[in-house]
Amino acid sequence: MTPPSTRGRLAGSAKGITPLTILLSVALLVTPTINAFSTRIASTASTIAYSQHHTITRSNNPRRSSLWHPLSATASSGDTTDDTLYDVAILGSGPASCSLAALLAASPSTPKVVVLSKYADKRWVPNYGTWTEEWAALDKIYASHGVSGLMEKGVDTHWYDTDCFFGEDEGGTVQNEPEGMSKRTLGREYLRVSRDGLKEIFFGNNDEERKFDVIREDVLGSVINTNIYEPRGAVSFSSDHTELTLKESQKKIRAKIVVDGTGAETSFTIRDGRENEGYQIAY
């Protein structure tokens, strides 16, 4: 009999693919698309804007050799506009945002990437779990894209078998007992992701070694209609970039592509009058 310490316990029904695995898989899928730069894509709930490919030159940067500038880029007037034109600006600093930033930073095209989040250094709160074989598969794929360590640093607990407890009896009535009326052993290995370890893999520990920029401010503005935001001027579009406004400093940040990874708290999604419903928005 397997010792209790090696058995994972799941409440409710077991799902085939865990949410964190989905998020990290989506980051893998969208990375080549973002790197392509050649196709204009309409704004969606998770992407504010994709801007059309522009003629570029590279400038030598001692810290990052991937600083790209369009030849005809025009900065907004005033001292509050950053002259840098980022290839990708990512809103939020959770697993979806940081995994995408890490993948882009490690990609051969070396785009200029910035993560915008007031709480970029905050510890991730949720506990994440996944099936061992799924995590091992992601580990291999991420390593092949230059981001390694998911199995080594990204796991803090490993169970070699999994018990599921269900809270309904045969008549569909939910019982009051904490673990339900029935148990099913699945025979699958399960693990708990290390929040600190995973963030270290994706985000790193210091700004000097990180391969993407981090601005510790949130973005101002909320959507009121398609590509229309308030207050006026908070988000604006031009032929080669989107311009964002930071909440506290009012500084302007320009990027060819802006990806919203802020999750359910996003202010860039039109909710069609269903503001009180729950949302899972991190693509």
Side-chain angles (χ1 to χ4, degrees):
M1 184 174 180
T2 308
S5 61
T6 64
R7 304 183 73 86
R9 304 168 75 84
L10 302 179
S13 60
K15 299 183 182 297
I17 302 178
T18 58
L20 181 62
T21 306
I22 295 173
L23 289 181
L24 300 193
S25 299
V26 169
L28 283 168
L29 291 172
V30 302
T31 299
T33 303
I34 291 177
N35 275 323
F37 290 117
S38 59
T39 304
R40 179 178 295 276
I41 301 176
S43 296
T44 65
S46 58
T47 305
I48 300 174
Y50 275 67
S51 296
Q52 195 171 11
H53 179 69
H54 204 86
T55 305
I56 57 174
T57 58
R58 292 192 184 208
S59 64
N60 294 323
N61 185 304
R63 184 175 163 199
R64 298 180 184 85
S65 61
S66 59
L67 186 60
W68 291 12
H69 293 283
L71 292 176
S72 60
T74 302
S76 302
S77 59
D79 295 333
T80 59
T81 300
D82 190 332
D83 289 336
T84 302
L85 177 64
Y86 288 99
D87 294 305
V88 186
I90 303 173
L91 312 186
S93 54
S97 296
C98 290
S99 61
L100 179 58
L103 287 167
L104 287 170
S107 64
S109 60
T110 59
K112 179 72 173 175
V113 179
V114 62
V115 170
L116 305 173
S117 175
K118 181 178 180 179
Y119 302 105
D121 300 308
K122 185 177 180 181
R123 188 187 188 200
W124 291 340
V125 175
N127 283 312
Y128 301 106
T130 184
W131 303 114
T132 300
E133 67 268 22
E134 291 177 1
W135 198 249
L138 277 176
D139 175 57
K140 291 181 180 179
I141 298 173
Y142 266 71
S144 71
H145 286 76
V147 181
S148 59
L150 268 66
M151 282 296 292
E152 181 181 356
K153 291 184 179 180
V155 177
D156 65 10
T157 305
H158 189 185
W159 295 281
Y160 293 94
D161 204 347
T162 307
D163 294 331
C164 286
F165 294 87
F166 298 87
E168 298 180 356
D169 59 20
E170 294 179 357
T173 302
V174 177
Q175 303 298 319
N176 293 325
E177 296 185 20
E179 293 183 340
M181 298 296 294
S182 61
K183 179 180 77 171
R184 180 180 299 173
T185 299
L186 300 182
R188 295 183 70 183
E189 295 184 16
Y190 198 77
L191 58 83
R192 186 174 67 194
V193 175
S194 168
R195 293 170 292 183
D196 297 336
L198 191 64
K199 186 164 186 179
E200 181 180 345
I201 293 168
F202 293 153
F203 191 74
N205 290 320
N206 63 76
D207 291 341
E208 292 304 317
E209 295 180 1
R210 195 175 295 115
K211 296 181 180 179
F212 53 87
D213 288 343
V214 177
I215 297 178
R216 292 165 174 83
E217 285 193 54
D218 291 333
V219 172
L220 179 68
S222 59
V223 63
I224 56 176
N225 208 328
T226 304
N227 287 345
I228 301 176
Y229 299 82
E230 60 179 8
R232 184 177 179 180
V235 180
S236 59
F237 305 98
S238 71
S239 61
D240 68 332
H241 68 269
T242 299
E243 187 174 84
L244 305 170
T245 305
L246 300 180
K247 276 186 177 179
E248 295 180 8
S249 66
Q250 299 295 300
K251 185 178 180 180
K252 302 289 186 179
I253 301 296
R254 303 181 304 145
K256 297 177 184 178
I257 299 173
V258 181
V259 179
D260 182 8
T262 54
E265 67 187 40
T266 179
S267 60
F268 291 95
T269 298
I270 300 175
R271 301 178 188 264
D272 298 329
R274 296 174 291 176
E275 289 79 5
N276 294 325
E277 294 186 11
Y279 283 82
Q280 176 70 33
I281 307 170
Y283 298 105

